[in-house]
């Protein structure tokens, strides 16, 4: 993994370009502490901060062709680069053994069509000094970020917003639509940021731009696939083979590889398959634990570690660290970010980075194989909707009679029931909803009255609508929630610790295969990941195979009643009258949460995230 940066602006002199690029690379140093380099010519500067994983002694960047016509700065890993190298070797005199030169050669010899052949995770910038044009691109699922600013005949790019703002050296105006998206969904929608003029290149796209050519974005891949034509038994055999190959590809490295082990289905499958390909005793697995038993998964992780005889490292997180979260937002995101598990993710990355430079994870399996409870919930909701209304009223009256539970939903039937009734009310308001939103319409209008009519279209970021509502939800999660929340969280948390994280479930063949499967093979009334569990049942202990799903969460509901709530209250008191947030509305939510009248933990977290970004710009 690395950090990349690019400037093309004629009004900036050479000395100033050098200064800005050096400042940006300093901010990207955690992404690439092993080496850095810059290239400057005419009005262009290209920078690179390197984390050396493949071809450690060579493959320095920015990489230039012998004639210095083409220059590339590349962040990521191409797992099939050796196969692609064979395809190109008769037309290119390779001088390095890494994947960067393969991309450089492929783009020059094959053009942008070469991108679709690449398997891996990436963001890159290729500059052609002769035509004065650039190609920029991101991987299919959006694991690697790339932000840009484009006005008239200028283009600036960087791996992270703070670095891009350093290249620009001008204040960025806030984007009200982006802020509204953040409060509705917990993140900005693909292509957008919380700033008016800073954009994010969407996943599975490349863009072309030239000094005399406007920026044009092209989608090179789509996740929607034709329905699988084989039998269920055939699908299980094929899935097993695909994931074995995906893990094998992600073990290619010139440095040691470790593993995140949560104690859930996904990470267990990755560790189990890797143990068949690697010496078990050399495998290092990393787990984060909590003292709160409803959030702690260490007993399950230890079960797997013992079964596969791997080295197991456990780190515990037992209190909130507001200062650390503020630092992550300021130094890595440059905009508010809602997922509270960014904190435990960074801590486990910090632990892993003490021993390895690469770690494998189970990210993406929930979106592909129907792992989230809301998929099963949707199936139940559609049946529940046919129940007579007076029965519904009676059921919901009983459920809502009890105080709001703050334990993790996987450990509480009451919590699940309360979440179900909230989801059902949302379904009644908007039967076509496909993405979770965290504020009710009433609470949103009371907390953010100036944002009621702001925001981008969710539908614009999803594919054509299917009659299968669960497939629509999964498609939305893959296209939006996965890159904007999960991948963003893991990228910033891992890169802050100079650690590369790879996910076998993000293999293109695995993605396309999962997308082709009928919904009933993925989700039923008992839960999700049906075919995944049955395919790998021989590798997963029964205690894990049949346990309820538990996400990688932290007990923010309890923390909001204690120190974190006090921190939020202090931030709200600092608000001025011109902010988009209503102080009164937000304090009412905090009061209701503290008194146990409602569980507003995640809503309050969204407000907290916005405020610590606002006061730390």
């Amino acid at each position: 993994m690395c950090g990349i940066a690019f400037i093309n602006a004629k009004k900036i002199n050479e000395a100033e370009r050098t200064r800005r690029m050096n400042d940006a690379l300093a901010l990207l140093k955690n992404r690439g502490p092993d080496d850095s380099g810059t290239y400057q010519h005419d009005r262009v500067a290209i920078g690179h901060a390197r984390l050396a994983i493949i071809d450690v002694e060579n493959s320095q960047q920015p990489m230039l062709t012998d004639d210095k016509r083409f220059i590339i700065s590349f962040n990521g890993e191409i797992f099939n680069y050796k196969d692609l190298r064979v395809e190109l070797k008769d037309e290119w005199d390779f001088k390095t053994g890494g994947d960067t030169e393969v991309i450089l050669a492929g783009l020059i010899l094959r053009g942008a069509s070469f991108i679709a052949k690449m398997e891996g995770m990436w963001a890159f910038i290729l500059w052609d000094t002769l035509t004065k044009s650039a190609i920029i691109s991101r991987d299919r699922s959006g694991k690697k970020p790339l932000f840009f600013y484009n006005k008239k005949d200028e283009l600036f790019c960087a791996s992270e917003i703070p670095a891009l703002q350093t290249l620009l050296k001008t204040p960025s105006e806030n984007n009200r639509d982006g802020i509204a998206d953040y409060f509705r969904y917990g993140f900005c929608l693909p292509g957008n940021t919380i700033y008016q003029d800073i954009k994010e290149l969407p996943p599975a796209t490349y863009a072309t731009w030239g000094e005399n050519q406007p920026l044009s974005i092209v989608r090179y891949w789509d996740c929607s696939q034709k329905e699988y034509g084989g039998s269920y038994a055939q699908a299980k055999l094929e899935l097993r083979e695909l994931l074995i190959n995906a893990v094998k590809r992600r073990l290619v490295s010139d440095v040691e590889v470790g593993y995140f082990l949560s104690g859930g289905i996904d990470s267990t499958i990755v560790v189990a398959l890797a143990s068949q390909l690697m010496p078990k005793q050399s495998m290092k697995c990393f787990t984060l634990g909590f003292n709160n038993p409803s959030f702690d998964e260490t007993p399950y992780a230890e079960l797997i570690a013992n079964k596969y005889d791997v080295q197991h490292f456990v780190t515990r997180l037992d209190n909130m660290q507001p200062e650390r979260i503020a630092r992550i937002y300021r130094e890595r995101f440059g905009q508010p970010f809602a997922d509270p598990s960014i904190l435990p993710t960074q801590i486990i990355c910090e632990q892993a980075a003490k021993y390895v430079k690469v770690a494998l994870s189970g990210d993406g399996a929930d979106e592909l194989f129907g792992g989230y409870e809301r998929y099963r919930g949707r199936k139940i909701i559609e049946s529940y909707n046919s129940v007579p209304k007076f029965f519904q009223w009676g059921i919901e009256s009983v459920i809502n009679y009890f105080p709001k539970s703050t334990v993790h939903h996987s450990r509480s039937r009451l919590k699940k029931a309360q979440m179900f009734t909230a989801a059902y009310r949302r379904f009644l308001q908007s039967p076509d909803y496909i993405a979770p939103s965290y504020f009710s319409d009433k609470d949103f209008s009371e907390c953010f009255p100036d944002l009621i009519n702001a925001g981008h279209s969710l539908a614009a970021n999803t594919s054509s609508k299917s009659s299968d509502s669960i497939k629509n939800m999964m498609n939305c999660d893959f296209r939006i929630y996965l890159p904007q929340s999960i991948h963003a969280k893991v990228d910033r948390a891992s890169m802050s610790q100079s650690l590369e994280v790879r996910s076998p479930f993000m293999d293109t063949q695995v993605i396309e295969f999962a997308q082709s499967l009928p919904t009933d093979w993925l989700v039923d009334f008992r839960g999700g990941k049906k075919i995944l569990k049955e395919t790998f049942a021989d590798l997963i202990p029964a205690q894990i195979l049949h346990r309820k799903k538990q996400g990688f969460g932290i007990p923010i509901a309890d923390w909001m009643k204690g120190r974190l709530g006090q921190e939020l209250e202090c931030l709200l008191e600092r608000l001025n009258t011109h902010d988009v947030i209503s102080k009164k509305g937000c304090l009412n939510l905090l009061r209701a949460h503290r008194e146990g009248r409602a569980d507003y933990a995640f809503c309050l977290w969204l407000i907290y995230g916005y405020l610590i970004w606002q006061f730390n710009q």
Side-chain angles (χ1 to χ4, degrees):
M1 288 304 116
C2 309
I4 60 179
F6 177 86
I7 298 174
N8 186 313
K10 65 181 180 182
K11 293 182 180 179
I12 306 174
N13 62 43
E14 183 176 351
E16 180 62 17
R17 275 197 306 273
T18 300
R19 189 179 306 110
R20 294 190 191 188
M21 183 59 70
N22 288 340
D23 289 345
L25 291 179
L27 291 176
L28 296 172
K29 186 176 177 62
N30 287 92
R31 298 186 73 93
D34 296 331
D35 191 19
S36 66
T38 60
Y39 169 86
Q40 283 206 64
H41 179 260
D42 194 15
R43 53 190 276 177
V44 172
I46 305 175
H48 187 85
R50 186 186 185 201
L51 180 65
I53 304 294
I54 300 289
D55 195 25
V56 175
E57 299 300 321
N58 300 299
S59 296
Q60 284 79 16
Q61 297 187 54
M63 184 175 286
L64 285 70
T65 52
D66 289 342
D67 60 2
K68 297 185 179 181
R69 174 179 171 178
F70 296 96
I71 307 99
I72 191 170
S73 186
F74 155 64
N75 166 31
E77 299 289 351
I78 307 303
F79 301 121
N80 65 335
Y81 78 95
K82 291 182 179 179
D83 295 333
L84 296 174
R85 181 188 176 106
V86 170
E87 177 187 322
L88 301 170
K89 65 180 179 63
D90 291 338
E91 303 172 68
W92 190 272
D93 180 20
F94 285 96
K95 296 178 175 58
T96 66
D99 50 359
T100 304
E101 190 178 7
V102 172
I103 302 173
L104 181 62
L107 291 170
I108 293 171
L109 296 172
R110 303 285 187 266
S113 64
F114 184 77
I115 297 171
K117 296 184 176 184
M118 292 161 46
E119 172 58 47
M121 48 186 178
W122 69 82
F124 69 74
I125 302 162
L126 176 76
W127 177 248
D128 183 341
T129 61
L130 181 63
T131 62
K132 300 186 184 303
S133 61
I135 297 178
I136 61 178
S137 178
R138 281 181 76 196
D139 61 77
R140 292 171 179 82
S141 69
K143 279 186 68 68
K144 295 292 102 185
L146 187 59
F147 298 92
F148 68 89
Y149 169 97
N150 173 227
K151 276 287 182 70
K152 295 182 180 178
D153 60 348
E154 295 185 338
L155 180 66
F156 297 75
C157 304
S159 294
E160 294 177 356
I161 289 177
L164 180 57
Q165 290 174 317
T166 297
L167 296 178
L168 293 170
K169 292 289 187 185
T170 55
S172 301
E173 183 181 343
N174 290 352
N175 178 359
R176 294 175 70 82
D177 290 326
I179 295 173
D181 291 342
Y182 166 78
F183 282 122
R184 285 197 175 94
Y185 310 114
F187 41 74
C188 295
L189 296 185
N192 301 288
T193 72
I194 212 159
Y195 301 104
Q196 193 68 40
D197 296 324
I198 294 178
K199 305 298 181 182
E200 183 178 23
L201 188 68
T205 67
Y206 69 84
T208 57
W209 176 86
E211 292 180 7
N212 299 303
Q213 167 192 348
L215 188 128
S216 175
I217 298 177
V218 179
R219 176 169 288 276
Y220 62 82
W221 178 84
D222 194 286
C223 63
S224 301
Q225 302 296 315
K226 293 182 180 178
E227 188 163 320
Y228 183 72
S231 68
Y232 187 76
Q234 290 172 326
K236 289 199 297 181
L237 292 174
E238 191 171 341
L239 174 57
R240 193 172 185 112
E241 187 66 23
L242 287 173
L243 268 172
I244 289 171
N245 291 334
V247 171
K248 187 182 298 184
R249 275 193 283 269
R250 281 152 184 80
L251 291 174
V252 175
S253 173
D254 292 336
V255 298
E256 187 175 0
V257 177
Y259 307 85
F260 290 157
L261 181 58
S262 69
I265 297 287
D266 313 329
S267 63
T268 295
I269 291 172
V270 172
V271 169
L273 294 179
S275 73
Q276 300 174 356
L277 303 167
M278 300 286 290
K280 294 181 183 178
Q281 290 76 16
S282 69
M283 291 177 60
K284 295 182 175 66
C285 295
F286 305 93
T287 301
L288 189 76
F290 298 90
N291 283 342
N292 185 326
S294 72
F295 288 83
D296 188 53
E297 297 185 273
T298 52
Y300 300 103
E302 288 169 357
L303 187 67
I304 298 302
N306 292 334
K307 176 178 174 63
Y308 291 103
D309 192 24
V310 298
Q311 299 179 55
H312 191 208
F313 302 86
V314 178
T315 304
R316 305 198 77 82
L317 172 64
D318 294 313
N319 54 23
M320 195 59 196
Q321 301 176 12
E323 301 82 6
R324 185 166 187 160
I325 292 176
R327 189 166 63 250
I328 297 171
Y329 281 22
R330 182 177 63 252
E331 297 177 1
R332 302 267 73 88
F333 281 98
Q335 62 181 354
F337 182 73
D339 191 339
S341 64
I342 182 66
L343 178 61
T345 302
Q346 191 191 57
I347 289 173
I348 195 173
C349 288
E350 182 179 55
Q351 174 72 356
K354 295 175 183 176
Y355 301 91
V356 297
K357 292 179 76 171
V358 177
L360 266 59
S361 78
D363 294 333
D366 286 317
E367 292 79 6
L368 293 178
F369 294 95
Y372 292 126
E373 285 288 309
R374 60 179 175 267
Y375 303 146
R376 181 174 67 135
R378 178 67 182 223
K379 193 177 268 292
I380 297 171
I381 280 172
E382 290 174 350
S383 297
Y384 180 74
N385 193 43
S386 63
V387 172
K389 297 302 179 187
F390 68 89
F391 277 121
Q392 292 181 6
W393 180 86
I395 292 169
E396 292 171 34
S397 296
V398 172
I399 291 171
N400 294 324
Y401 171 79
F402 294 96
K404 300 298 181 182
S405 173
T406 59
V407 302
H408 195 279
H409 61 78
S410 66
R411 305 292 181 91
S412 169
R413 288 191 176 94
L414 175 60
K415 179 73 169 184
K416 281 186 177 180
Q418 291 169 342
M419 292 174 67
F420 174 81
T421 58
Y424 183 60
R425 286 193 296 271
R426 189 164 60 245
F427 168 81
L428 293 176
Q429 291 176 353
S430 178
D432 295 328
Y433 87 94
I434 54 177
S437 55
Y438 300 103
F439 288 86
S440 68
D441 290 345
K442 176 179 178 293
D443 291 333
F444 192 94
S445 63
E446 290 182 359
C447 292
F448 322 111
D450 294 339
L451 298 178
I452 294 173
N453 297 316
H456 295 97
S457 168
L458 192 70
N461 289 279
T462 58
S463 61
S464 57
K465 187 180 175 184
S466 164
S467 59
D468 186 334
S469 61
I470 296 176
K471 273 286 187 181
N472 287 335
M473 292 174 72
M474 293 173 64
N475 176 277
C476 180
D477 283 338
F478 182 85
R479 286 177 175 267
I480 301 176
Y481 177 66
L482 184 64
Q484 303 307 107
S485 184
I486 302 297
H487 286 339
K489 170 187 69 178
V490 174
D491 174 80
R492 305 313 189 279
S494 61
M495 288 289 89
S496 73
Q497 306 302 317
S498 307
L499 178 76
E500 175 181 303
V501 177
R502 304 172 175 179
S503 176
F505 288 100
M506 291 295 93
D507 189 275
T508 305
Q509 292 183 331
V510 174
I511 295 170
E512 293 179 345
F513 177 79
Q515 290 278 349
S516 74
L517 299 178
T519 304
D520 288 345
W521 293 8
L522 306 173
V523 182
D524 59 23
F525 285 105
R526 295 170 298 173
K529 298 182 185 173
K530 177 182 175 182
I531 193 171
L532 193 65
K533 292 175 181 177
E534 293 184 10
T535 299
F536 295 99
D538 59 314
L539 302 179
I540 306 171
Q543 300 97 308
I544 292 174
L545 190 64
H546 302 299
R547 66 181 285 232
K548 300 297 183 183
K549 175 177 172 54
Q550 179 166 333
F552 191 40
I554 60 176
I556 56 171
D558 290 336
W559 290 352
M560 277 295 175
K561 293 181 178 180
R563 181 190 170 191
L564 186 58
Q566 294 169 0
E567 176 88 5
L568 173 57
E569 188 172 10
C570 291
L571 291 172
L572 285 169
E573 292 297 341
R574 292 173 58 189
L575 277 176
N576 62 49
T577 56
H578 302 294
D579 204 284
V580 296
I581 285 182
S582 164
K583 181 191 301 186
K584 179 181 177 181
C586 295
L587 287 173
N588 285 341
L589 258 60
L590 179 59
R591 188 178 304 110
H593 181 82
R594 284 170 164 170
E595 294 172 357
R597 291 184 281 116
D599 182 2
Y600 281 121
F602 203 85
C603 294
L604 295 170
W605 178 266
L606 285 167
I607 297 166
Y608 175 75
Y610 173 82
L611 292 176
I612 61 173
W613 164 77
Q614 183 78 297
F615 292 126
N616 283 278
Q617 291 191 77

